[in-house]
Amino acid sequence: MWSRRQGRLRPTVCGVEELRRRRREQEPRDLALRKARREQQLVSKRLLREDAPEEAGEGCVAAILGEAEVQQFLRQAQRGAEEKEREGALVSLRRGLQHPETQQTFIQLEGSMRTLVGLLTSNQALLQLEAARCLHELSHSEQSTIAEACLPATSYLLTYLSGHSSDFIELCLYTLGNLIVESEAVRRQLLPQGIIPALAACIQSPHVAVLEALGYALSQLLQAKEAPEKIIPSILASTLPQHMLQMLQPGPKLNPGVAVEFAWCLHYIICSQVSNPLLIGHGALSTLGLLLLDLAGAVQRTEDAGLELLACPVLRCLSNLLTEAAVETVGGQMQLRDERVVAALFILLQFFFQKQPSLLPEGLWLLNNLTANSPSFCTSLLSLDLIEPLLQLLPVSNVVSVMVLTVLCNVAEKGPAYCQRLWPGPLLPALLHTLAFSDTEVVGQSLELLHLLFLYQPEAVQVFLQQSGLQALERHQEEAQLQDRVYALRQTALQG
């Protein structure tokens, strides 16, 4: 997890051990941040509607159905003289079910769901398909009572996942995914009915649409509040994780839509912290590291704005996994050289800076976790001359500023040799500029970085004084959250 430090400079000399102690003090906050990221979910519902042109009509709007009309269409669908009449009745019902009012009427009508399930299990394919589409419309409701009214159909939807029609399997998967979002009762029923083995079987489908639908249904299941205790252990015990990682392997078979779905699935599993070492053992770091390189290459070849859809979960997965593995061994785990990882990450940061600034914190979060305990990744940052490009991100936002400064603290903390590489250059002018910020967290992180520079590069003190550094500190000496650190840094500078 992103181990953002918020050090407290005291009126005493503060060494590396003190800084490490502060980092340990931050661990409870880091766990809270991990939880917050897990709860920033992408719960949504998806609706498949493929009306024929004659159904859609010109300006044709489906009408709200009353109880009598719902009864009539169900009766026609069940007992119509011809299959065409029966199918047409279900089409009319399905179109009416697009309205919440009709949905409520339907579930309140005695025997309606039993009739619909009967049609779902008929031996006539077109009737079966239209009945499934009616269920799909119901599944899109935001009312948990409607989702729970669909409970009698879930076992059949699961059974049909092993069928031969990819379109029908796709429809069943999206319907199940929608129902999973809305109701814990649905999830409680689906687990003993065997949803996880059914999904594990689907993941071997050759059809891209089925795989995307599967990723959607699985992601909804993984976001349930009870997932860490009741769902994720069973998923990890299945073949799903290995197959998910296969879907994320770069190469000609990589499908962006499928990869996005399964990258988010992997993100939810990793955030649960149920068994991340197991995922690392399956090669998750290596696969995600290679995918990071592939994404960096892609942004250099294309202006496709859709790349960020995959980059975001990949960056989050890597960042969280790095907290589970010794960072010194990450290069070996990824089967990559440190410089390739850092260079790829900076290509993505430049892409985000130009196209999607809101994703800059995701990339910087990963850079922080790479450099927090790894001298080799810090060395790569310096040898590739990436300090100045990093400083150029400071004006983007306060959040970005804090993260940039934290990465620089990671480098400076490694000792005199690293501070010597940071100095001289644009760093001190940049820090004097950030001291003028009004944001307490930005200023606090600037003070910590200055403290490290003074500790390991004493000549920085004199330049700081010559460039009116003390005056820059004075504006913060009355701020309760900063005054101890300001006083400590001021004393260090005057004694230097």
Side-chain angles (χ1 to χ4, degrees), residues 245-267:
L245 289 170
Q246 286 175 10
M247 301 294 174
L248 296 174
Q249 287 179 353
K253 292 184 179 180
L254 179 74
N255 179 276
V258 173
V260 168
E261 298 291 355
F262 286 111
W264 281 112
C265 288
L266 197 60
H267 167 65

Side-chain angles (χ1 to χ4, degrees), residues 367-382:
L367 186 60
N368 175 76
N369 282 3
L370 286 169
T371 56
N373 299 303
S374 172
S376 60
F377 279 105
C378 292
T379 299
S380 297
L381 199 62
L382 294 167

Side-chain angles (χ1 to χ4, degrees), residues 48-90:
L48 299 180
R49 282 183 184 158
E50 298 180 358
D51 285 347
E54 62 270 18
E55 286 182 39
E58 291 185 7
C60 178
V61 178
I64 297 172
L65 303 180
E67 183 177 318
E69 292 166 302
V70 171
Q71 283 180 323
Q72 178 190 347
F73 288 136
L74 284 172
R75 190 163 47 248
Q76 287 176 346
Q78 195 175 26
R79 302 172 187 167
E82 297 180 5
E83 186 175 346
K84 190 83 173 169
E85 179 189 354
R86 299 174 69 187
E87 183 189 344
L90 276 178

